[in-house]
Amino acid sequence: MRAAFALAGALLIAGCAGGERVTLLPAAQDRGVGAVAVLGEDGSETVLDTANQQARLSGGTPRIRQLGETDPAYAALIADLPRAEAARSVEFPTSEFRLTDAQIAALQQWIAEDEARGERPGRQFVIRAYADSFGSEEENLTLSRRRAAEVAAQLRAAGIEVEPDDVVGMGEYAAQAELGDGMRSQKYRRVDIVIR
C-alpha cells in the first residue's frame, strides 16, 4: 500500500509542479503521504517525504523548504480526490453460504452509513468470496461462488447495482497457499465487500 501512496503523491507532484518547484501535497482522507525523489542536474537525489515540502529545482542540488500550510489551490484539488475504499468482511460457518438476518442487517447499516456520507458518487461494489482448504477444490470453488452470489443478491435486493464481473468466487487457493490442503480456517470462510 505504501508504494501506491507514494505513486499517488508523485502524480500529484507532477500535476502541481510549476516553473522550477515541486511540492509534495498532503494526502487525502488520512492516507500516508508517500515520498518522491527529486534528481538534481548534478546527479544528486533529494527525497521529499513530508506534506508541504517543496524543492526548488534551479541548477545543481535541489533546495528544500517546508511550507507552513497547503496552498489553497492545492487544498481544493486534494478535497476533490476520491475517498479511500471502504471494506467489510462477512464470515460464514463451515460449508454455509446463506447470510443470517443479523448479517443482512449489519450489511445494510454499513451501506447506509457509507451512502449517507455522500462522498462517493458512482459507487462500485466488488465482492470476493473465499473458502478454506478443507474438502475438494471443486466443492470449495462452488461454495465460494455461492457465498459471493448470496451477498450480491442481498445488495441488489437493497437497490444497489452490482456488476456480474465484480462478483467473484476465489475458491480455496489463498487458504491452500497459506495453510496447505485439508485445513479448516475461519479466516478463509468469508466474503470481502469493497466499495470504491
mmCIF file of all heavy atoms in Angstrom, residues 100-124:
data_model
loop_
_atom_site.group_PDB
_atom_site.id
_atom_site.type_symbol
_atom_site.label_atom_id
_atom_site.label_comp_id
_atom_site.label_asym_id
_atom_site.label_seq_id
_atom_site.Cartn_x
_atom_site.Cartn_y
_atom_site.Cartn_z
ATOM 1 N N THR A 100 -27.221 -14.712 7.632
ATOM 2 C CA THR A 100 -28.222 -14.672 8.694
ATOM 3 C C THR A 100 -28.919 -13.313 8.663
ATOM 4 O O THR A 100 -28.426 -12.355 8.050
ATOM 5 C CB THR A 100 -27.571 -14.872 10.074
ATOM 6 O OG1 THR A 100 -26.715 -13.744 10.332
ATOM 7 C CG2 THR A 100 -26.777 -16.162 10.139
ATOM 8 N N ASP A 101 -30.038 -13.212 9.350
ATOM 9 C CA ASP A 101 -30.751 -11.939 9.437
ATOM 10 C C ASP A 101 -29.858 -10.860 10.059
ATOM 11 O O ASP A 101 -29.873 -9.701 9.635
ATOM 12 C CB ASP A 101 -32.036 -12.088 10.249
ATOM 13 C CG ASP A 101 -33.099 -12.915 9.516
ATOM 14 O OD1 ASP A 101 -32.984 -13.069 8.273
ATOM 15 O OD2 ASP A 101 -34.026 -13.402 10.184
ATOM 16 N N ALA A 102 -29.091 -11.227 11.066
ATOM 17 C CA ALA A 102 -28.193 -10.269 11.721
ATOM 18 C C ALA A 102 -27.115 -9.783 10.760
ATOM 19 O O ALA A 102 -26.768 -8.595 10.751
ATOM 20 C CB ALA A 102 -27.562 -10.908 12.962
ATOM 21 N N GLN A 103 -26.565 -10.684 9.939
ATOM 22 C CA GLN A 103 -25.554 -10.280 8.960
ATOM 23 C C GLN A 103 -26.159 -9.348 7.914
ATOM 24 O O GLN A 103 -25.523 -8.368 7.515
ATOM 25 C CB GLN A 103 -24.948 -11.506 8.281
ATOM 26 C CG GLN A 103 -24.021 -12.304 9.171
ATOM 27 C CD GLN A 103 -23.591 -13.602 8.514
ATOM 28 O OE1 GLN A 103 -24.406 -14.324 7.930
ATOM 29 N NE2 GLN A 103 -22.303 -13.907 8.626
ATOM 30 N N ILE A 104 -27.363 -9.636 7.473
ATOM 31 C CA ILE A 104 -28.034 -8.789 6.486
ATOM 32 C C ILE A 104 -28.264 -7.396 7.066
ATOM 33 O O ILE A 104 -27.988 -6.384 6.408
ATOM 34 C CB ILE A 104 -29.359 -9.429 6.029
ATOM 35 C CG1 ILE A 104 -29.075 -10.706 5.232
ATOM 36 C CG2 ILE A 104 -30.184 -8.440 5.193
ATOM 37 C CD1 ILE A 104 -30.301 -11.558 4.955
ATOM 38 N N ALA A 105 -28.744 -7.318 8.301
ATOM 39 C CA ALA A 105 -28.991 -6.029 8.945
ATOM 40 C C ALA A 105 -27.694 -5.231 9.093
ATOM 41 O O ALA A 105 -27.663 -4.019 8.826
ATOM 42 C CB ALA A 105 -29.648 -6.235 10.307
ATOM 43 N N ALA A 106 -26.614 -5.888 9.507
ATOM 44 C CA ALA A 106 -25.325 -5.203 9.665
ATOM 45 C C ALA A 106 -24.800 -4.708 8.323
ATOM 46 O O ALA A 106 -24.265 -3.591 8.225
ATOM 47 C CB ALA A 106 -24.312 -6.139 10.327
ATOM 48 N N LEU A 107 -24.960 -5.494 7.284
ATOM 49 C CA LEU A 107 -24.529 -5.113 5.944
ATOM 50 C C LEU A 107 -25.316 -3.906 5.451
ATOM 51 O O LEU A 107 -24.746 -2.948 4.922
ATOM 52 C CB LEU A 107 -24.713 -6.301 5.004
ATOM 53 C CG LEU A 107 -24.137 -6.225 3.612
ATOM 54 C CD1 LEU A 107 -22.645 -5.978 3.641
ATOM 55 C CD2 LEU A 107 -24.426 -7.529 2.864
ATOM 56 N N GLN A 108 -26.628 -3.915 5.653
ATOM 57 C CA GLN A 108 -27.471 -2.790 5.230
ATOM 58 C C GLN A 108 -27.110 -1.514 5.976
ATOM 59 O O GLN A 108 -27.074 -0.429 5.389
ATOM 60 C CB GLN A 108 -28.944 -3.139 5.427
ATOM 61 C CG GLN A 108 -29.429 -4.190 4.445
ATOM 62 C CD GLN A 108 -30.833 -4.699 4.753
ATOM 63 O OE1 GLN A 108 -31.344 -4.540 5.847
ATOM 64 N NE2 GLN A 108 -31.447 -5.330 3.762
ATOM 65 N N GLN A 109 -26.803 -1.632 7.250
ATOM 66 C CA GLN A 109 -26.418 -0.457 8.038
ATOM 67 C C GLN A 109 -25.092 0.123 7.532
ATOM 68 O O GLN A 109 -24.952 1.335 7.393
ATOM 69 C CB GLN A 109 -26.298 -0.805 9.520
ATOM 70 C CG GLN A 109 -25.910 0.382 10.378
ATOM 71 C CD GLN A 109 -25.788 0.028 11.850
ATOM 72 O OE1 GLN A 109 -26.154 -1.058 12.272
ATOM 73 N NE2 GLN A 109 -25.284 0.959 12.628
ATOM 74 N N TRP A 110 -24.128 -0.733 7.251
ATOM 75 C CA TRP A 110 -22.825 -0.285 6.752
ATOM 76 C C TRP A 110 -22.982 0.454 5.430
ATOM 77 O O TRP A 110 -22.407 1.522 5.223
ATOM 78 C CB TRP A 110 -21.906 -1.505 6.613
ATOM 79 C CG TRP A 110 -20.571 -1.229 6.004
ATOM 80 C CD1 TRP A 110 -19.568 -0.450 6.526
ATOM 81 C CD2 TRP A 110 -20.073 -1.733 4.766
ATOM 82 N NE1 TRP A 110 -18.484 -0.449 5.686
ATOM 83 C CE2 TRP A 110 -18.771 -1.228 4.593
ATOM 84 C CE3 TRP A 110 -20.599 -2.563 3.788
ATOM 85 C CZ2 TRP A 110 -17.988 -1.524 3.487
ATOM 86 C CZ3 TRP A 110 -19.820 -2.866 2.687
ATOM 87 C CH2 TRP A 110 -18.534 -2.350 2.533
ATOM 88 N N ILE A 111 -23.799 -0.083 4.530
ATOM 89 C CA ILE A 111 -24.025 0.542 3.227
ATOM 90 C C ILE A 111 -24.737 1.878 3.401
ATOM 91 O O ILE A 111 -24.376 2.875 2.769
ATOM 92 C CB ILE A 111 -24.825 -0.402 2.309
ATOM 93 C CG1 ILE A 111 -23.964 -1.617 1.961
ATOM 94 C CG2 ILE A 111 -25.286 0.310 1.045
ATOM 95 C CD1 ILE A 111 -24.744 -2.776 1.397
ATOM 96 N N ALA A 112 -25.729 1.920 4.272
ATOM 97 C CA ALA A 112 -26.466 3.164 4.508
ATOM 98 C C ALA A 112 -25.552 4.240 5.078
ATOM 99 O O ALA A 112 -25.645 5.416 4.692
ATOM 100 C CB ALA A 112 -27.639 2.904 5.456
ATOM 101 N N GLU A 113 -24.654 3.868 5.974
ATOM 102 C CA GLU A 113 -23.720 4.837 6.550
ATOM 103 C C GLU A 113 -22.786 5.390 5.487
ATOM 104 O O GLU A 113 -22.511 6.594 5.454
ATOM 105 C CB GLU A 113 -22.913 4.188 7.682
ATOM 106 C CG GLU A 113 -23.739 3.936 8.931
ATOM 107 C CD GLU A 113 -23.021 3.066 9.952
ATOM 108 O OE1 GLU A 113 -21.876 2.607 9.692
ATOM 109 O OE2 GLU A 113 -23.609 2.825 11.036
ATOM 110 N N ASP A 114 -22.301 4.535 4.596
ATOM 111 C CA ASP A 114 -21.437 4.999 3.512
ATOM 112 C C ASP A 114 -22.211 5.926 2.578
ATOM 113 O O ASP A 114 -21.718 6.977 2.179
ATOM 114 C CB ASP A 114 -20.861 3.816 2.727
ATOM 115 C CG ASP A 114 -19.884 4.273 1.659
ATOM 116 O OD1 ASP A 114 -18.747 4.633 2.022
ATOM 117 O OD2 ASP A 114 -20.271 4.305 0.474
ATOM 118 N N GLU A 115 -23.437 5.543 2.269
ATOM 119 C CA GLU A 115 -24.273 6.345 1.376
ATOM 120 C C GLU A 115 -24.616 7.696 1.992
ATOM 121 O O GLU A 115 -24.636 8.715 1.309
ATOM 122 C CB GLU A 115 -25.547 5.570 1.065
ATOM 123 C CG GLU A 115 -26.357 6.143 -0.067
ATOM 124 C CD GLU A 115 -27.472 5.185 -0.449
ATOM 125 O OE1 GLU A 115 -28.384 4.984 0.388
ATOM 126 O OE2 GLU A 115 -27.418 4.646 -1.559
ATOM 127 N N ALA A 116 -24.871 7.734 3.298
ATOM 128 C CA ALA A 116 -25.243 8.970 3.989
ATOM 129 C C ALA A 116 -24.124 10.005 3.938
ATOM 130 O O ALA A 116 -24.393 11.206 3.939
ATOM 131 C CB ALA A 116 -25.622 8.671 5.438
ATOM 132 N N ARG A 117 -22.879 9.535 3.889
ATOM 133 C CA ARG A 117 -21.760 10.480 3.808
ATOM 134 C C ARG A 117 -21.753 11.197 2.457
ATOM 135 O O ARG A 117 -21.220 12.294 2.346
ATOM 136 C CB ARG A 117 -20.437 9.762 4.058
ATOM 137 C CG ARG A 117 -20.223 9.422 5.518
ATOM 138 C CD ARG A 117 -18.813 8.922 5.779
ATOM 139 N NE ARG A 117 -18.599 7.576 5.313
ATOM 140 C CZ ARG A 117 -18.845 6.479 6.014
ATOM 141 N NH1 ARG A 117 -19.332 6.581 7.226
ATOM 142 N NH2 ARG A 117 -18.610 5.292 5.518
ATOM 143 N N GLY A 118 -22.318 10.577 1.440
ATOM 144 C CA GLY A 118 -22.469 11.221 0.146
ATOM 145 C C GLY A 118 -21.173 11.634 -0.528
ATOM 146 O O GLY A 118 -21.167 12.508 -1.374
ATOM 147 N N GLU A 119 -20.080 11.009 -0.164
ATOM 148 C CA GLU A 119 -18.781 11.422 -0.702
ATOM 149 C C GLU A 119 -18.247 10.464 -1.752
ATOM 150 O O GLU A 119 -17.100 10.564 -2.152
ATOM 151 C CB GLU A 119 -17.761 11.507 0.443
ATOM 152 C CG GLU A 119 -18.153 12.512 1.498
ATOM 153 C CD GLU A 119 -17.284 12.425 2.727
ATOM 154 O OE1 GLU A 119 -16.495 11.473 2.840
ATOM 155 O OE2 GLU A 119 -17.406 13.312 3.582
ATOM 156 N N ARG A 120 -19.069 9.519 -2.197
ATOM 157 C CA ARG A 120 -18.589 8.517 -3.139
ATOM 158 C C ARG A 120 -19.600 8.382 -4.282
ATOM 159 O O ARG A 120 -20.322 7.405 -4.383
ATOM 160 C CB ARG A 120 -18.428 7.181 -2.413
ATOM 161 C CG ARG A 120 -17.497 6.218 -3.106
ATOM 162 C CD ARG A 120 -17.521 4.850 -2.439
ATOM 163 N NE ARG A 120 -17.377 4.869 -1.014
ATOM 164 C CZ ARG A 120 -16.222 4.886 -0.361
ATOM 165 N NH1 ARG A 120 -15.104 4.889 -1.033
ATOM 166 N NH2 ARG A 120 -16.184 4.881 0.945
ATOM 167 N N PRO A 121 -19.672 9.387 -5.169
ATOM 168 C CA PRO A 121 -20.616 9.267 -6.285
ATOM 169 C C PRO A 121 -20.213 8.128 -7.210
ATOM 170 O O PRO A 121 -19.028 7.858 -7.398
ATOM 171 C CB PRO A 121 -20.507 10.621 -6.992
ATOM 172 C CG PRO A 121 -19.180 11.160 -6.589
ATOM 173 C CD PRO A 121 -18.891 10.597 -5.224
ATOM 174 N N GLY A 122 -21.210 7.439 -7.773
ATOM 175 C CA GLY A 122 -20.910 6.342 -8.690
ATOM 176 C C GLY A 122 -20.206 5.187 -8.020
ATOM 177 O O GLY A 122 -19.258 4.622 -8.562
ATOM 178 N N ARG A 123 -20.669 4.802 -6.825
ATOM 179 C CA ARG A 123 -20.004 3.718 -6.086
ATOM 180 C C ARG A 123 -19.959 2.432 -6.900
ATOM 181 O O ARG A 123 -20.872 2.123 -7.649
ATOM 182 C CB ARG A 123 -20.757 3.424 -4.797
ATOM 183 C CG ARG A 123 -20.778 4.524 -3.808
ATOM 184 C CD ARG A 123 -21.485 4.132 -2.545
ATOM 185 N NE ARG A 123 -22.878 3.778 -2.796
ATOM 186 C CZ ARG A 123 -23.713 3.378 -1.850
ATOM 187 N NH1 ARG A 123 -23.307 3.267 -0.613
ATOM 188 N NH2 ARG A 123 -24.959 3.079 -2.130
ATOM 189 N N GLN A 124 -18.878 1.686 -6.706
ATOM 190 C CA GLN A 124 -18.724 0.360 -7.303
ATOM 191 C C GLN A 124 -18.517 -0.634 -6.171
ATOM 192 O O GLN A 124 -17.682 -0.430 -5.293
ATOM 193 C CB GLN A 124 -17.514 0.331 -8.237
ATOM 194 C CG GLN A 124 -17.234 -1.045 -8.811
ATOM 195 C CD GLN A 124 -15.910 -1.117 -9.563
ATOM 196 O OE1 GLN A 124 -15.080 -0.230 -9.479
ATOM 197 N NE2 GLN A 124 -15.721 -2.201 -10.285
#
